[in-house]
């Protein structure tokens, strides 16, 4: 008797998306037109659909959104986001660096399930009142590994370098 | 919310009402998943998810506004004053604004010859630095020459506040409306308590309107009407409305329904500007004061038209001959109707159709229009009057009801022919219904006359309206025998010597004084709310006392006589021997009876507490 491994089966959305050449697709804010929806013979050759983010760029954007969002900011899901700004009121130290890393490690993977975190490096620079944050992660569904997101956390907030 | 039936756009007509922000978000995500163009709507960190949140939340807010708007458009659910005011205007209901305090005065005159005199309207008197004014002329008769004597007056109502004039020039259009803006009050109609800014306000029911014809320059006084549509083409009437902005609209006719203003007519409105609660007057606040006569260029001119030359007007040269004093305190300020009060009153007033036919009509109209002077109103028809009220006097031993002074006063004052077959209105004054917690108080003749005048053009032509005084029943703790009818001292003994004994759990830390205060508050609260024809619910009072923490038993005691629970003695203070009884059960008052607790503040000294 054959064994059906449903847990390995791709969802309908994923199957259809892959047929269209992408797995994940998000809209690109600021909602500008820069895409040809369906190229047809004699159709006007000007953009007529929303610009979009696909696959890796969509996930990377999602990760950035989570890191720059404070819990409570998102209207209908107040738990989304990391409260990294709260660390700015503490003196720059190794202890705080540890807690920032722990916060990212505990929350980012839960809030963005498409990524696997590999490494988080936090470097506190007291003289400049900032932290350099490097997050290494993978996107297994897209076979993308060893991505790195480098950013600084200072009075300007979380700024991707 | 189940979305199973919401496929494509085949939504039920009312589906939009079922959505809130989260359910709409779910629907959008489901539909995007079906469409399969985008995928990241399923991930909370995505741009799309943020965008959907914003759209859903906007929809949620807009739907809330829609629901609110829908609610505010119906009478039963409106909560905003502006909306309620507009809704009830459809049935001709005019909400009442703030009303100033009223003060009754006594008048004495000296150094005048025997004759009839008139104090001009708008005259005022100073009471502790605040002005009290009269809106109507005061006519009195001096019976003897020169010597000081108390005189009976046609009107003894003073309104707290100064007379203020507002002048308008008319355009001359049909149904012209003039708005008198209350600049003192900040949105008085939407709040419960006053703010500091509202030290003053324009008092409702204090308006006197005069119009000077642009062609003839003649001044005439115009009168307020309930509806211009009831008026003849030549009637000099106007409608007044307390509008949704807290100001007063005066609407004039169109020569079909009430007379129309001509172009450039001068409209002069006199009104009272009240100083609010700070100006309330205590008993005997004025003793032998004199009037300040009102003068202004406009009023001096108007006086030429409203006063005959042969009238003996009190003027600046002899105003010191008229002395004013007050026996009672002024009435409290009456706040503008709230939304809930309007919701309660409007249907009742509408059902009367501005006519006084049934008992309910009388009670509704008088309660609503005179709640600044009356605490409660009950009406008796002829059957009730003869079968209950007159029978009461017969039962207590009077040969004729007219032997009672107050019955006679009512008949003489308001009943043109017989002492029966009239409509009998029983009222209790809102201001101090009991004097010094001992003696009954009644509406004074001027207040009764105001109510009587109000009824004249609304009542049936075949009967008179008698504003009568209710029978007061004094109540106190009482245990004793039933032999009171023969010994006048027995009642005093029972009242003075009876007390209640509370058994209190000794393990409860409450002090005796706090328990006594709580009992006092229970009685005060109960008797504050009691009304004509009410019930003295002995059981409920006992229950409230037993609910005080630690109180486990009540006895009423007089010497060796002990009665379990509460026992009262109830008596008519005017007929102490003829009408009294010991009451341990509920005591039902007739519609013409009002109960009060005798020396209620003294209750704390009539409570003994034993710790068990």
């Amino acid at each position: 008797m054959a064994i059906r491994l449903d847990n390995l089966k791709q969802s309908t959305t994923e199957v259809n998306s892959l047929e269209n050449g992408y797995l994940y697709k998000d809209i690109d804010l600021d909602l500008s037109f820069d895409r040809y929806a369906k190229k047809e013979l004699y159709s006007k050759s000007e953009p007529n659909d929303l610009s979009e983010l696909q696959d890796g760029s969509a996930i990377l954007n999602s990760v950035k959104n989570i890191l720059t969002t404070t819990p409570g900011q998102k209207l209908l899901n107040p738990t989304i986001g990391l409260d990294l700004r709260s660390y700015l009121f503490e003196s720059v130290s190794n202890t705080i660096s540890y807690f920032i890393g722990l916060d990212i490690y505990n929350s980012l993977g839960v809030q963005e399930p498409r990524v696997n975190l590999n490494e988080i490096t936090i470097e506190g620079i007291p003289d400049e009142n900032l932290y350099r944050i490097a997050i290494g992660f993978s996107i297994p569904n897209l076979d993308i590994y060893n991505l790195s997101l480098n950013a600084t956390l200072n009075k300007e907030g979380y700024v991707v370098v | 919310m189940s979305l199973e039936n919401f496929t494509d756009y085949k939504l039920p007509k009312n589906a939009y009402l079922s959505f809130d922000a989260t359910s709409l978000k779910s629907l959008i995500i489901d539909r995007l998943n079906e469409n399969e163009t985008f995928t990241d709507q399923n991930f909370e960190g995505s741009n799309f998810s943020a965008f959907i949140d914003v759209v859903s939340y906007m929809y949620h807010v807009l739907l809330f506004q829609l629901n609110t708007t829908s609610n505010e458009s119906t009478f039963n659910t409106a909560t905003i004053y502006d909306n309620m005011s507009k809704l009830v205007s459809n049935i001709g209901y005019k909400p009442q604004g703030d009303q100033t305090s009223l003060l009754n005065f006594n008048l004495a005159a000296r150094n005048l010859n025997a004759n009839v005199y008139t104090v001009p309207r708008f005259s005022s008197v100073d009471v502790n630095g605040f002005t009290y004014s009269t809106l109507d002329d005061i006519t009195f008769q001096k019976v003897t020459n020169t010597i000081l004597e108390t005189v009976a007056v046609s009107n003894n109502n003073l309104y707290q506040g100064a007379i203020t004039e507002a002048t308008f020039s008319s355009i001359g259009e049909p149904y012209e409306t003039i708005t008198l803006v209350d600049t003192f009050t900040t949105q008085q109609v939407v709040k419960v308590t006053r703010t500091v800014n509202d030290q003053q306000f324009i008092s409702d029911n204090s308006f006197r309107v005069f119009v000077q014809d642009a062609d003839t320059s003649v001044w005439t006084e115009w009168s307020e009407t309930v509806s211009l549509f009831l008026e003849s083409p030549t009637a000099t009437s106007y409608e007044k409305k307390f509008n949704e902005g807290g100001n007063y609209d005066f609407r004039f006719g169109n020569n079909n329904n009430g007379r129309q203003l001509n172009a450039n007519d001068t409209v002069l409105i006199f009104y009272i500007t009240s100083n609010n609660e700070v100006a309330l007057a205590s008993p005997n606040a004025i003793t032998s004061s004199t009037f300040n006569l009102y003068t202004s260029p406009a009023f001096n001119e108007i006086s030429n038209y409203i006063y005959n030359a042969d009238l003996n007007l009190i003027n600046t040269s002899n105003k010191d001959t008229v002395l004013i004093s007050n026996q009672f305190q002024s009435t409290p300020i009456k706040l503008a109707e709230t939304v809930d009060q309007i919701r309660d009153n409007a249907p009742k007033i509408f059902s009367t159709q501005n006519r006084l036919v049934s008992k309910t009509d009388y009670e509704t109209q008088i309660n609503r229009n005179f709640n600044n002077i009356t605490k409660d109103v009950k009406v008796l028809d002829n059957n009730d009057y003869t079968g209950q009220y007159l029978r009461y006097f017969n039962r207590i031993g009077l040969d004729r009801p007219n032997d009672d002074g107050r019955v006679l006063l009512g008949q003489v004052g308001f009943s043109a022919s017989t002492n029966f077959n009239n409509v009998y209105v029983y009222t209790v004054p809102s201001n101090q219904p009991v004097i010094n917690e001992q003696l009954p108080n009644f509406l004074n003749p001027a207040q009764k006359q105001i109510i009587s005048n109000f009824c004249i053009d609304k009542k049936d032509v075949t009967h008179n309206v008698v504003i009568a005084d209710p029978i007061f029943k004094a109540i106190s703790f009482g245990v004793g025998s039933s032999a009171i009818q023969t010994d006048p001292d027995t009642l005093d003994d029972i009242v003075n010597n009876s007390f209640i004994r509370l058994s209190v759990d000794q393990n409860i830390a409450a002090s005796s004084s706090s328990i006594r205060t709580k009992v006092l508050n229970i009685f005060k609260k109960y008797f504050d709310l009691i009304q004509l024809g009410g019930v003295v619910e002995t059981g409920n009072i006992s229950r409230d006392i037993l609910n005080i923490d630690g109180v486990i038993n009540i006895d009423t005691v007089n010497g060796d006589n002990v009665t379990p629970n509460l026992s009262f003695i109830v008596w008519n203070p005017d007929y102490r021997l003829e009408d009294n009884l010991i009451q341990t059960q509920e005591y039902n008052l007739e519609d013409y009876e009002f109960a009060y607790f005798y020396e209620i503040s003294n209750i704390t000294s009539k409570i003994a507490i034993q710790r068990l």
Side-chain angles (χ1 to χ4, degrees), chain B residues 16 92 97 99 134 194 354 356 397 415 462 475 496 502 506 583 589 597 601:
Chain B
Y16 71 98
Q99 294 181 69
T134 175
R194 295 188 175 286
N354 202 33
L356 298 174
S415 177
T462 59
I475 293 178
N496 293 332
L502 303 181
Q506 62 181 348
Q583 188 75 19
L589 298 161
F597 200 96
S601 296

Side-chain angles (χ1 to χ4, degrees), chain B residues 510-525:
Chain B
S511 69
S512 297
S513 64
S514 74
I515 291 174
R516 287 191 177 98
T517 305
K518 285 177 182 174
V519 173
L520 172 64
N521 290 337
I522 287 170
F523 276 95
K524 279 190 169 174
K525 186 179 174 186

